[in-house]
Amino acid sequence: MRFKKVFTIICVSILLIGLSVTAFIASSIVKSAGDDLTLRWTMIGAMGSWAGSVFGAIALIISLFALWLPQKVKLKVEIATGMMMSQVPGTGKIDAYIITVKNVGMRPVTVNNVYLNFGGRKMGDIFVGVLNQGSPLQMYTPQFPKRLDQGESFEYYLLRDKLVIALKHYEDKTPKDTPLFIRVDEVTTGNQYYKTRWTLKTFIG
């Protein structure tokens, strides 16, 4: 959304500058022609052709940008707490963290995997694929690679208790206010890190 605003401002600015320059040049040409009406109209006609070429080029550039913009990979990545009711007898409800990955762009995307990360690219990623092994949530674990067309999404359920235990060893070496990033491996763009409002403290208190 921010990029679209910047792009719109740039386009409008280019058009306004073009109009101002054209008006200034046209005014100068008319003054230089003096009282010779034939010369004046000839110069105005030439100026109109030049202005048409300039604005045609500007329109072409804007069209190319508008064509390129929707082709960008756009993912919306969120994490939340949730609860699932297991169909396995005697299990009952299961507390989980839910990672949602949604394709909000116009082009299809393919996700190879999802990781957790505290601190960004310079820190190590946490592979969470093993947390659900042997649990009722294993059947809800996405099968990668996962293709998402426009508007499609998938949810990655993680056992809350197992994840909290797995993150305990971070307590001594990582500040609790370190932000949580979700790393998404996408075929076209590679590894992308999406910052959340959560921190390590959200998990281990």
Side-chain angles (χ1 to χ4, degrees):
M1 185 64 68
R2 183 178 179 182
F3 181 81
K4 288 183 178 180
K5 290 181 179 179
V6 173
F7 175 70
T8 302
I9 291 173
I10 292 175
C11 291
V12 172
S13 300
I14 292 175
L15 288 174
L16 290 176
I17 292 172
L19 286 171
S20 300
V21 171
T22 301
F24 174 77
I25 295 176
S27 176
S28 300
I29 289 175
V30 171
K31 289 180 180 179
S32 65
D35 296 330
D36 191 336
L37 294 179
T38 302
L39 178 60
R40 179 180 297 182
W41 284 111
T42 300
M43 295 178 71
I44 291 176
M47 185 63 197
S49 299
W50 176 83
S53 300
V54 171
F55 285 109
I58 293 175
L60 177 60
I61 294 173
I62 293 175
S63 298
L64 290 175
F65 268 103
L67 180 63
W68 167 79
L69 188 62
Q71 302 304 315
K72 292 185 63 179
V73 171
K74 296 180 181 179
L75 295 175
K76 183 179 181 181
V77 182
E78 299 176 320
I79 186 170
T81 56
M83 181 185 68
M84 291 190 64
M85 298 302 297
S86 173
Q87 298 179 356
V88 179
T91 303
K93 68 183 182 76
I94 301 174
D95 293 324
Y97 293 109
I98 307 171
I99 299 174
T100 304
V101 179
K102 183 176 182 179
N103 180 12
V104 295
M106 296 182 64
R107 62 172 296 174
V109 299
T110 300
V111 177
N112 282 330
N113 219 324
V114 175
Y115 301 82
L116 298 183
N117 173 285
F118 290 95
R121 293 179 180 273
K122 295 183 179 180
M123 308 302 294
D125 300 314
I126 305 170
F127 178 65
V128 295
V130 298
L131 293 179
N132 293 340
Q133 291 183 359
S135 76
L137 289 183
Q138 187 171 359
M139 68 178 67
Y140 299 104
T141 301
Q143 298 299 311
F144 296 111
K146 185 77 172 178
R147 176 187 168 91
L148 297 176
D149 291 322
Q150 182 182 6
E152 291 185 338
S153 63
F154 70 83
E155 294 181 334
Y156 202 143
Y157 294 85
L158 302 174
L159 282 171
R160 185 184 300 185
D161 294 340
K162 279 193 174 183
L163 181 57
V164 170
I165 294 173
L167 295 178
K168 276 294 185 180
H169 75 280
Y170 280 81
E171 189 170 6
D172 296 331
K173 58 182 180 180
T174 305
K176 289 187 176 182
D177 60 350
T178 303
L180 167 68
F181 290 80
I182 300 176
R183 169 186 153 188
V184 178
D185 292 356
E186 200 277 325
V187 171
T188 304
T189 57
N191 302 337
Q192 299 295 320
Y193 290 81
Y194 297 85
K195 187 177 181 180
T196 72
R197 295 182 179 180
W198 291 24
T199 64
L200 182 61
K201 186 177 181 181
T202 308
F203 298 91
I204 61 177

